[in-house]
Amino acid sequence: MNPTIKDVAQKAGVSIATVSLVINNHKRISSDTKKKVQKAIKDLNYYPSRSARDLVSKKTGNIGFILTDDHFLRTEPFYTRIFLGTEFEARDGEYYILLTTIKSDYSEKDPLPRFILDRSVDGVIVAGKIPEVLIDKLAKYNLPLIFVDYTSAKENFPVVLIDNIQGGITATNHLISYGHKNIAFIGGDINHPSINERLIGYKKALENAGINPNKKFISTTSPYPDRQNGYNSAKKIFSTQKDVTAVFACNDAMAIGVMHYLKDSGFSIPNDISIIGFDDVESDLMLDPPLTTIRVPKIELGAEALRLMINTLKYKNSNAKKILVPVELIIRKSTKSIK
Amino acid sequence: MNPTIKDVAQKAGVSIATVSLVINNHKRISSDTKKKVQKAIKDLNYYPSRSARDLVSKKTGNIGFILTDDHFLRTEPFYTRIFLGTEFEARDGEYYILLTTIKSDYSEKDPLPRFILDRSVDGVIVAGKIPEVLIDKLAKYNLPLIFVDYTSAKENFPVVLIDNIQGGITATNHLISYGHKNIAFIGGDINHPSINERLIGYKKALENAGINPNKKFISTTSPYPDRQNGYNSAKKIFSTQKDVTAVFACNDAMAIGVMHYLKDSGFSIPNDISIIGFDDVESDLMLDPPLTTIRVPKIELGAEALRLMINTLKYKNSNAKKILVPVELIIRKSTKSIK
DNA sequence: TAAGATTAGTTAAACGTTTAACCGAGGGAA
DNA sequence: TTCCCTCGGTTAAACGTTTAACTAATCTTA
């Protein structure tokens, strides 16, 4: 079997308590014994048993990560990157991430993830929009709960968010600085806070520039912000509004849909129409032209969430922090100055 | 704190051993006591402590899942679906899946995943191609190791594979049955067993039909089977070979690249050229026309791997099983009969 | 009826840690 | 010299399960 703390103690000629103190580098240990013990640990290739440790310390060493299945399976690796950021950050620490998906139409009678029921996690990170009913059920367990890229309107949880408003402003300003005035906004369900905030940023930037937002240029009726809906929304707008010269799509997926529509309709990008996206879902999309967009640091979002969780766990401070992660304008070839 | 087995025992008026026996439904318990105990468990909302259980049973209740980061972040949700299949299957059982990615250029001096080092898993599932050096390092730990969609040539591990040869035959037969004779094969690195096997199937089907495989119709020099390389390979073949009427791409990503090239070059699909892919990565790709392909049951692959792992863990039978998962022809609009 | 077998449940040890309480040695102050 | 403090380490209890070994009661069987 694997070596235990006992073997180490024996080999180093000390008690098991001493070994334990060395491992958790307690100060009450001389550097001599410390070295001896560390040598023994190395020689035996000893690793503490997690279950024994967890049992006595009443921790599990796991963090749950909840995602809806459609978010997990999205074509563009957005939430998967957020997850990866969490996993990267956990990797060097002492936590493991337990990922589970839930159905996006989770309802009252669906069971909670097993890791909640059998208390296999010390806290839960929720990424993306999930049904309110699940939030309610989760809140009943007094587990630390942290949200990423979404949060409940009703309750006040610690959360890591994209600075969407600033991103919306930056994107719109970029188009304005290129001389565009008639800028369309193509978004999905306005009830999703991220999309709404990007729209707010869009409007703010227009107002700052003295441009009156035109309702006919704004599409927010699509249920889900994917390519197909980007295509459809573009169709609706461009078939009636002839003087639009630029599009701000609420994410890259919709932007790609818009590009498809424009190509199909004989428009040239960026000569006829400039287009900017949001998210920067890096992938071999073979887009032509490459899409100007607002980069969201997805890995960073996930890492930030885990750090927040670890802090919450460590200091039990439950004052609900909000962390706004900044975004960045990435200029490629899909936008063009018309001055 | 959470209720323990002690609380349940007290409430039910039995010993803790009895409670334990009920939980693991041992036969030596009358149905009367069983009911009493189960009621107490329900009343107290009791769940056994995993760490205590693991400590005594010397299990961890976790299965590691290793994936290279580029596989995890692929545009098409292929390996993520395999993972999900594993997670689905684990969900109702008693295992948790610990997912970790490794760099695709993992080298000798990179550390092993932490869950291996500190023995936090009972077994490891490896999905997709990983560097041989990692396999060697993993093999040193005597942990059950199961491969999915890849396996080491050197050693004999239990493995769950796609029936690629049959898939290659089915795909090619489909084209042959539509009257095609000059069928191109567009693949990536031939060292990847899956791709090689699909090519073998292609050749077999041609031979069965009395058609001599033409080397000029076969491209296997791309390093990675993605869209861009599909595009490039198509360019190479179609710029010299004028009588090709159909393409069998080794996966959907390359097929999409091929479609892009054909469109850019003014070909009509399927009127001028028929094309079939492999994998069936369902997604909102807005492909026009929809791609005929060979469906790989990805969820099923993952689930099968977990079942194999659980069996290995349960019966310690280490005879390296090989499971071939069948595939299915999905006819859409990208192939057309030319008879 | 007595001995053995079966049934249903209990006792207690064990798993591998952490950590509060304890202890002995040496040094300094009164 | 005596008392107290500090330093560096040890002892032992506790965490919540599983399970081998045991026991008491009932049932069979000759």
Side-chain angles (χ1 to χ4, degrees):
Chain A
M1 235 18 252
N2 295 333
T4 74
I5 199 172
K6 238 174 164 171
D7 302 319
V8 177
Q10 198 161 23
K11 178 136 190 165
V14 297
S15 73
I16 63 163
T18 305
V19 177
S20 177
L21 294 175
V22 169
I23 291 170
N24 301 288
N25 58 0
H26 200 282
K27 55 196 158 194
R28 212 185 341 163
I29 294 290
S30 73
S31 64
D32 262 21
T33 0
K34 200 169 183 171
K35 264 179 216 153
K36 254 194 324 189
V37 171
Q38 282 169 336
K39 180 166 168 18
I41 288 178
K42 197 149 205 183
D43 286 356
L44 293 171
N45 191 27
Y46 164 78
Y47 279 85
S49 148
R50 283 223 314 150
S51 41
R53 184 186 284 215
D54 293 346
L55 178 57
V56 52
S57 64
K58 293 179 164 303
K59 300 265 164 267
T60 71
N62 297 323
I63 306 284
F65 193 100
I66 297 181
L67 205 54
T68 61
D69 44 16
D70 55 357
H71 280 154
F72 185 67
L73 294 173
R74 263 180 67 159
T75 309
E76 296 80 17
F78 187 87
Y79 287 105
T80 36
R81 276 188 178 272
I82 292 183
F83 168 78
L84 211 53
T86 309
E87 206 269 324
F88 281 166
E89 189 68 21
R91 204 174 275 186
D92 304 317
E94 48 190 21
Y95 283 99
Y96 286 107
I97 309 297
L98 260 33
L99 171 67
T100 198
T101 61
I102 52 143
K103 294 185 299 171
S104 48
D105 59 348
Y106 182 93
S107 74
E108 185 65 39
K109 58 188 183 304
D110 288 319
L112 281 169
R114 185 164 52 95
F115 59 54
I116 307 270
L117 294 175
D118 71 2
R119 274 89 167 180
S120 286
V121 293
D122 299 330
V124 172
I125 295 177
V126 174
K129 187 175 183 180
I130 63 166
E132 201 68 22
V133 49
L134 177 56
I135 300 180
D136 294 343
K137 282 174 90 173
L138 286 174
K140 289 208 184 94
Y141 289 73
N142 66 343
L143 276 173
L145 206 54
I146 286 177
F147 286 80
V148 188
D149 191 36
Y150 183 74
T151 186
S152 166
K154 290 194 300 196
E155 282 183 83
N156 195 27
F157 293 109
V159 63
V160 178
L161 292 170
I162 301 165
D163 195 347
N164 286 303
I165 296 187
Q166 185 55 52
I169 292 175
T170 304
T172 312
N173 277 346
H174 169 64
L175 295 174
I176 292 170
S177 78
Y178 271 11
H180 296 278
K181 289 199 163 52
N182 296 327
I183 302 171
F185 178 89
I186 290 189
D189 178 13
I190 204 65
N191 290 318
H192 194 301
S194 285
I195 296 177
N196 190 32
E197 286 164 15
R198 290 168 194 186
L199 177 58
I200 291 173
Y202 160 83
K203 287 181 177 166
K204 268 196 183 169
L206 287 183
E207 278 158 17
N208 284 346
I211 302 171
N212 228 356
N214 181 340
K215 271 191 190 153
K216 292 189 177 152
F217 292 174
I218 299 177
S219 160
T220 55
T221 47
S222 303
Y224 197 80
D226 59 11
R227 297 188 194 186
Q228 191 61 57
N229 283 321
Y231 191 98
N232 298 340
S233 302
K235 193 177 207 166
K236 228 179 278 174
I237 288 187
F238 282 97
S239 56
T240 61
Q241 307 301 318
K242 300 302 179 192
D243 38 4
V244 168
T245 63
V247 174
F248 170 24
C250 79
N251 67 9
D252 286 355
M254 291 199 99
I256 291 168
V258 173
M259 285 174 76
H260 272 273
Y261 170 77
L262 291 175
K263 275 194 188 171
D264 286 356
S265 313
F267 288 95
S268 157
I269 306 169
N271 295 321
D272 301 332
I273 307 281
S274 280
I275 174 155
I276 185 169
F278 206 114
D279 283 354
D280 194 32
V281 285
E282 306 122 70
S283 57
D284 64 344
L285 290 171
M286 303 208 328
L287 277 179
D288 179 33
L291 184 65
T292 294
T293 193
I294 300 292
R295 172 173 294 162
V296 172
K298 295 157 280 287
I299 300 277
E300 184 56 23
L301 275 173
E304 199 63 64
L306 190 78
R307 287 195 284 268
L308 185 53
M309 175 61 82
I310 286 178
N311 259 290
T312 309
L313 253 24
K314 209 161 165 186
Y315 304 114
K316 314 253 180 253
N317 67 344
S318 55
N319 46 5
K321 256 198 205 166
K322 297 208 186 313
I323 295 179
L324 271 193
V325 178
V327 295
E328 184 191 0
L329 173 66
I330 305 291
I331 301 177
R332 298 208 181 89
K333 305 278 186 202
S334 68
T335 50
K336 187 185 168 190
S337 175
I338 58 171
K339 279 199 268 206
Chain B
M1 234 16 252
N2 294 333
T4 74
I5 199 171
K6 240 175 165 171
D7 302 319
V8 176
Q10 198 162 22
K11 177 134 188 166
V14 297
S15 75
I16 63 163
T18 304
V19 177
S20 176
L21 294 175
V22 169
I23 292 170
N24 301 290
N25 59 1
H26 200 284
K27 55 196 158 193
R28 213 186 339 160
I29 293 290
S30 71
S31 63
D32 262 18
T33 2
K34 200 167 184 174
K35 265 179 213 152
K36 255 195 322 192
V37 171
Q38 282 169 337
K39 179 164 168 18
I41 288 178
K42 198 149 204 185
D43 286 355
L44 293 172
N45 191 27
Y46 163 79
Y47 278 86
S49 146
R50 281 224 314 151
S51 42
R53 181 186 286 213
D54 292 347
L55 178 58
V56 51
S57 64
K58 293 178 164 305
K59 301 263 165 270
T60 71
N62 298 324
I63 307 285
F65 193 101
I66 296 181
L67 206 52
T68 61
D69 44 16
D70 56 357
H71 279 154
F72 185 66
L73 295 172
R74 263 179 68 159
T75 309
E76 296 80 15
F78 187 86
Y79 288 105
T80 36
R81 276 188 177 270
I82 291 182
F83 167 78
L84 211 53
T86 309
E87 206 269 324
F88 281 166
E89 189 69 20
R91 203 173 274 185
D92 304 316
E94 47 189 24
Y95 284 99
Y96 287 107
I97 309 297
L98 261 33
L99 171 67
T100 198
T101 62
I102 51 142
K103 295 186 298 172
S104 47
D105 59 347
Y106 183 93
S107 74
E108 184 65 39
K109 59 189 181 307
D110 289 317
L112 281 170
R114 185 164 51 94
F115 59 55
I116 307 270
L117 294 174
D118 72 2
R119 274 90 168 180
S120 287
V121 293
D122 299 331
V124 173
I125 295 177
V126 174
K129 188 175 183 178
I130 63 167
E132 202 67 22
V133 50
L134 177 57
I135 299 180
D136 293 343
K137 281 174 90 173
L138 285 175
K140 287 206 184 96
Y141 289 72
N142 66 343
L143 275 173
L145 205 55
I146 286 177
F147 286 79
V148 187
D149 191 35
Y150 183 73
T151 187
S152 166
K154 290 194 301 197
E155 283 184 82
N156 195 27
F157 294 109
V159 62
V160 178
L161 293 170
I162 301 165
D163 194 346
N164 286 304
I165 297 187
Q166 185 55 53
I169 293 175
T170 305
T172 312
N173 277 347
H174 170 63
L175 295 173
I176 292 171
S177 78
Y178 271 11
H180 296 277
K181 290 197 163 54
N182 297 327
I183 302 171
F185 178 89
I186 290 189
D189 177 14
I190 203 68
N191 290 317
H192 193 301
S194 284
I195 295 177
N196 190 32
E197 286 164 14
R198 289 169 195 186
L199 176 58
I200 291 174
Y202 160 85
K203 287 181 179 167
K204 267 196 185 170
L206 288 183
E207 279 158 17
N208 285 345
I211 304 171
N212 228 357
N214 182 339
K215 271 192 190 152
K216 290 188 177 152
F217 293 174
I218 298 177
S219 161
T220 55
T221 48
S222 304
Y224 198 79
D226 59 9
R227 296 187 195 187
Q228 191 62 57
N229 284 321
Y231 191 98
N232 298 341
S233 302
K235 194 177 207 165
K236 228 178 281 174
I237 289 186
F238 282 98
S239 56
T240 60
Q241 306 303 317
K242 300 303 181 193
D243 38 2
V244 169
T245 63
V247 176
F248 170 24
C250 81
N251 67 10
D252 287 355
M254 292 198 99
I256 291 168
V258 172
M259 285 174 76
H260 273 271
Y261 170 78
L262 291 175
K263 274 193 188 172
D264 286 356
S265 311
F267 288 95
S268 157
I269 307 170
N271 295 320
D272 301 332
I273 308 280
S274 280
I275 174 157
I276 185 168
F278 205 113
D279 283 355
D280 194 32
V281 286
E282 307 121 70
S283 56
D284 62 345
L285 290 170
M286 303 206 331
L287 277 180
D288 179 33
L291 183 65
T292 294
T293 193
I294 300 291
R295 170 172 295 162
V296 172
K298 295 158 281 286
I299 300 277
E300 185 55 24
L301 276 173
E304 198 64 62
L306 189 78
R307 286 194 285 267
L308 185 53
M309 175 63 81
I310 287 178
N311 259 291
T312 309
L313 254 24
K314 208 160 166 186
Y315 304 114
K316 314 254 182 253
N317 67 342
S318 54
N319 46 5
K321 256 197 206 165
K322 296 205 188 314
I323 295 179
L324 272 192
V325 178
V327 295
E328 183 190 0
L329 172 66
I330 305 289
I331 301 176
R332 297 209 182 89
K333 305 279 185 201
S334 67
T335 48
K336 188 184 167 190
S337 176
I338 57 170
K339 279 198 266 203

